[in-house]
Amino acid sequence: MAQVPQTFFDALAVRTWCGLALETLGRAREEIDAINVYPVADGDTGTNLYLTLESAVAAVEAVFVGHAAGSPGAEGTGPKEPTLADAARAMAHGALIGARGNSGTILAQLLRGMAQVLADGASVHAGDASAQADGASVHADGQGLRLALRHAADSARQAVAHPVEGTVLTVASAAADAADAAGGAESDCGNVARAAYEGARAALAATPDQLPVLERAGVVDAGGRGLVAVLGALVETFTGERPRGPVTSAGRVPGARGSGPGVGPGVGPGAGAGEPAGAHARVESVESLAEPVPACIGADSAAAPGQDGAGSVPACADPGDGAGSAAAPGRGGAEPLPACADPGDGVDSVTAPGQDGPAFEVIYLLEAEDDAVARLRERLDGLGDSLVVVGGDGLWNVHVHVDDAGAAVEAGIEAGRPYRIRITHFGAGDVHTTGAERPPRERAQRAVVAVVPGEGLAGLYTEAGATTVLARPGEPPASGELVQAVRRAHAHEVVLLPNDADLRHTAAAAAEQVRTEGVRVALIPTRSAVQGIAALAVHEPERRFDEDVVSMTSAAGATRYAEVTVAERQSWTMAGICQAGDVLGLIDGDVAVIGSDVTATAETVLDRMLAAGGEMVTLVLGDEAPDTIAEHLEGRVREGYLAVDTVVYRGGRQGSLLLIGVE
């Protein structure tokens, strides 16, 4: 179906743009991954950009769904639509919390920069005063879009500690410059978007002239290529037409469908009738996408002249997006830390011989004040390189390469509250390796991939040998993240544990995708992390795959699960009406107990579960659970139930106060 063009930048335009951009990046993802050579051919820039935008799309959709379920519009005209500010802020927040790698982090800041202008109502279309007054569909015109693009480019450049030209930052600035030059005040959003796209497209084609490593490889910057795809979707939003494709390699423009071996917008999976032969057949893991392009590592991975301490970019983040690659001097190697939840890294776990840059990539979200973040920037810049800090209004996304990962995390703790911490150790053949191509990593025979709701459980599952995907409260992982986790596990056979009833379809979609890559996947529909713990306890990789899956499924199914949480609002439940602030005890997903005291409610829930029998009780404590609750419940089990054992784990920031499993 042809896309109906938007006239002005309103909430619907934000929704349309995000959706089209995600589709475009989906088509171009493999191409972007494959041209990723600065400063290493690690093949995940397109994937990281896609995952970042996927998070933004989910946030925007949630705003529209929330308004559709809310109060009706004036005079019964239907549900009230979200405002431009609502949609733009949701887009920025979603991208911020879902940002992956360097280029994803910079894309999040670009979207945030645009949202700041759009949400503040810059250049509200004349004649819309009544709409602005009642908070309805305020929208921006071409002048507002110009201002948004300029602020986006400037704020992204400011977020990078040591900007390097020939990267996504250069492309963003060129887009803003071209938009500024596009006509007068009467120029509409379509004209401005088209000018920005053409400016970015020209700048992208020139990136090999700015970075020798790109010139020798015969490709353009991968991060900039992703931004051009996003801007192409902006053109389509306002004109209904898909623009010509960008330059992807020296002297070649794959503009029309089927115009050559390169993949441009409109070419690739789902692109349509004119796509090149075999476009649907090429499905590879991230680890193999580096192969078609030369590594180009060595002297050319040093920072551009005049860049002080700009950083190398990791295999699990994205090269080519605004940081140089000169290593900070005088750092010894640190011991590897576990990579608990970094999608798409595909790295080994040993330090490469001859590695001359930081050993770890550290990424986390941070709740902190502006002054504390300014001090954090200075400290992290002294610890390592490739520093990008984006966000604001109390929430930040921090990305840095260091040798001392613990010091980088400690710096975040001093600044505020870091969470969703991801630490990736650069391995053999990754960022700082000199010489030939990265040696292929041998696949394991079998692996377990599990979604877990807290850092404590992530550590527990990792110790048990599982590859984990961290799910924060209200932030369920997308199917792409599960796919990347399966790829990261790098095994012939994978057992997938979603640990949430609501994630079953997401996990099924991920399993279906990786099966096309030749991986044998079994999805066990675990509905709670305690069921996943029971499944892991009987996991034996030496058994036949089918036997192992049956055993794990049986253990999970024999485990009843419960949680204790606090009601956020008044609601009807199977146990009656609850009020905001009531303590709820849920057994097997249904509210069974409504109380006022956390410990008493938990005891009631436990008694009801053990009334049907049990041999083992598992308690997983959240950060906000009462200090004495574990001791109280352990005592209750000892006194009231013979031959029943109890084990207690710390789950961290898991959403629920307490998870209970009885098996």
Side-chain angles (χ1 to χ4, degrees):
M1 180 182 297
Q3 176 65 43
V4 177
Q6 303 295 310
T7 306
F8 298 105
F9 216 137
D10 58 8
L12 183 58
V14 172
R15 185 187 201 184
T16 302
W17 176 36
C18 288
L20 288 173
L22 187 65
E23 292 176 8
T24 303
L25 282 175
R27 291 190 296 267
R29 179 185 64 80
E30 288 188 359
E31 173 218 340
I32 297 172
D33 283 344
I35 65 171
N36 183 358
V37 300
Y38 172 73
V40 67
D42 65 334
D44 66 354
T45 295
T47 299
N48 284 334
L49 288 169
Y50 181 88
L51 291 173
T52 300
L53 197 55
E54 186 178 45
S55 181
V57 168
V60 173
E61 288 301 315
V63 167
F64 274 85
V65 170
H67 278 75
S71 57
E75 299 180 2
T77 57
K80 182 180 177 182
E81 294 290 332
T83 65
L84 172 58
D86 293 333
R89 287 170 180 150
M91 171 186 72
H93 179 74
L96 178 67
I97 64 175
R100 296 291 189 273
N102 272 2
S103 61
T105 304
I106 293 173
L107 175 61
Q109 187 67 4
L110 287 166
L111 295 179
R112 176 179 171 80
M114 292 191 68
Q116 286 176 319
V117 173
L118 298 173
D120 288 343
S123 188
V124 174
H125 182 58
D128 205 22
S130 61
Q132 186 177 6
D134 64 14
S137 56
V138 176
H139 50 245
D141 58 11
Q143 175 64 9
L145 179 55
R146 269 197 296 270
L147 293 173
L149 290 168
R150 169 53 60 196
H151 186 61
D154 292 346
S155 61
R157 189 170 287 271
Q158 291 167 5
V160 177
H162 302 283
V164 172
E165 298 306 327
T167 66
V168 65
L169 298 178
T170 305
V171 176
S173 295
D177 291 342
D180 286 340
E186 71 283 355
S187 187
D188 62 20
C189 288
N191 291 333
V192 173
R194 188 178 287 106
Y197 175 81
E198 292 299 336
R201 183 176 180 275
L204 177 66
T207 55
D209 297 331
Q210 297 169 296
L211 283 177
V213 64
L214 300 179
E215 183 179 24
R216 272 190 300 276
V219 298
V220 297
D221 176 66
R225 169 67 181 90
L227 178 58
V228 170
V230 172
L231 291 173
L234 187 65
V235 174
E236 189 173 355
T237 298
F238 292 115
T239 68
E241 300 174 357
R242 184 176 297 171
R244 57 180 175 161
V247 171
T248 56
S249 63
R252 178 166 59 84
V253 183
R257 291 189 177 99
S259 60
V263 183
V267 182
E275 61 198 5
H280 288 280
R282 185 184 179 212
V283 183
E284 304 177 47
S285 66
V286 168
E287 287 82 0
S288 68
L289 288 176
E291 185 176 349
V293 287
C296 298
I297 305 301
D300 301 309
S301 63
Q307 301 299 329
D308 179 19
S312 50
V313 183
C316 58
D318 320 315
D321 31 66
S325 57
R331 292 194 177 84
E335 289 298 316
L337 298 181
C340 55
D342 187 30
D345 55 17
V347 297
D348 297 315
S349 58
V350 294
T351 303
Q355 179 168 309
D356 58 359
F360 299 99
E361 178 194 47
V362 178
I363 306 174
Y364 50 80
L365 291 178
L366 177 70
E367 294 178 357
E369 299 297 326
D370 290 4
D371 292 344
V373 172
R375 293 190 295 271
L376 175 67
R377 288 179 192 268
E378 294 180 4
R379 181 171 178 187
L380 291 180
D381 197 23
L383 286 174
D385 53 38
S386 214
L387 174 62
V388 185
V389 181
V390 303
D393 300 324
L395 180 62
W396 308 82
N397 191 308
V398 179
H399 172 282
V400 67
H401 298 173
V402 293
D403 275 323
D404 190 346
V409 175
E410 288 172 4
I413 294 172
E414 292 179 6
R417 190 178 75 84
Y419 60 100
R420 294 183 70 174
I421 300 168
R422 300 192 298 274
I423 300 173
T424 303
H425 181 250
F426 298 137
D430 289 328
V431 176
H432 307 295
T433 304
T434 59
E437 294 181 9
R438 172 173 68 186
R441 184 161 61 103
E442 183 178 354
R443 285 186 179 271
Q445 181 58 36
R446 189 174 307 161
V448 176
V449 174
V451 180
V452 292
E455 294 90 345
L457 280 176
L460 174 67
Y461 273 73
T462 300
E463 288 177 6
T467 298
T468 60
V469 178
L470 192 62
R472 302 303 309 177
E475 302 169 11
S479 62
E481 293 179 74
L482 301 187
V483 169
Q484 291 306 310
V486 172
R487 289 171 176 160
R488 190 168 78 249
H490 205 57
H492 296 289
E493 302 167 340
V494 172
V495 179
L496 185 56
L497 305 175
N499 290 339
D500 187 336
D502 292 336
L503 287 178
R504 182 171 181 177
H505 296 299
T506 300
E512 187 65 27
Q513 180 173 343
V514 294
R515 285 185 186 118
T516 66
E517 302 174 12
V519 179
R520 188 179 184 187
V521 182
L523 170 60
I524 299 178
T526 48
R527 294 173 289 176
S528 171
V530 292
Q531 289 188 324
I533 291 173
L536 267 179
V538 300
H539 169 53
E540 293 185 13
E542 295 78 16
R543 283 190 296 215
R544 289 178 56 250
F545 185 62
D546 291 341
E547 292 176 357
D548 198 27
V549 171
V550 168
S551 178
M552 294 176 71
T553 302
S554 177
T559 303
R560 300 186 68 198
Y561 64 97
E563 66 175 303
V564 177
T565 188
V566 177
E568 297 180 353
R569 57 185 177 275
Q570 184 186 62
S571 180
W572 289 88
T573 75
M574 295 188 67
I577 301 175
C578 70
Q579 305 295 330
D582 283 348
V583 180
L584 306 180
L586 291 82
I587 299 177
D588 294 336
D590 294 322
V591 176
V593 181
I594 300 175
S596 58
D597 180 77
V598 174
T599 302
T601 301
E603 181 177 330
T604 302
V605 169
L606 185 57
D607 285 340
R608 291 194 183 184
M609 296 178 75
L610 287 173
E615 299 176 353
M616 171 72 74
V617 172
T618 301
L619 304 176
V620 183
L621 307 180
D623 280 346
E624 298 181 0
D627 294 336
T628 59
I629 191 170
E631 182 180 356
H632 179 87
L633 295 178
E634 285 183 291
R636 173 62 180 164
V637 172
R638 282 195 306 269
E639 295 171 4
Y641 303 94
L642 297 176
V644 177
D645 295 323
T646 304
V647 60
V648 180
Y649 301 111
R650 297 284 174 177
R653 189 170 177 263
Q654 63 186 22
S656 300
L657 298 173
L658 175 68
L659 298 177
I660 303 175
V662 174
E663 48 186 301

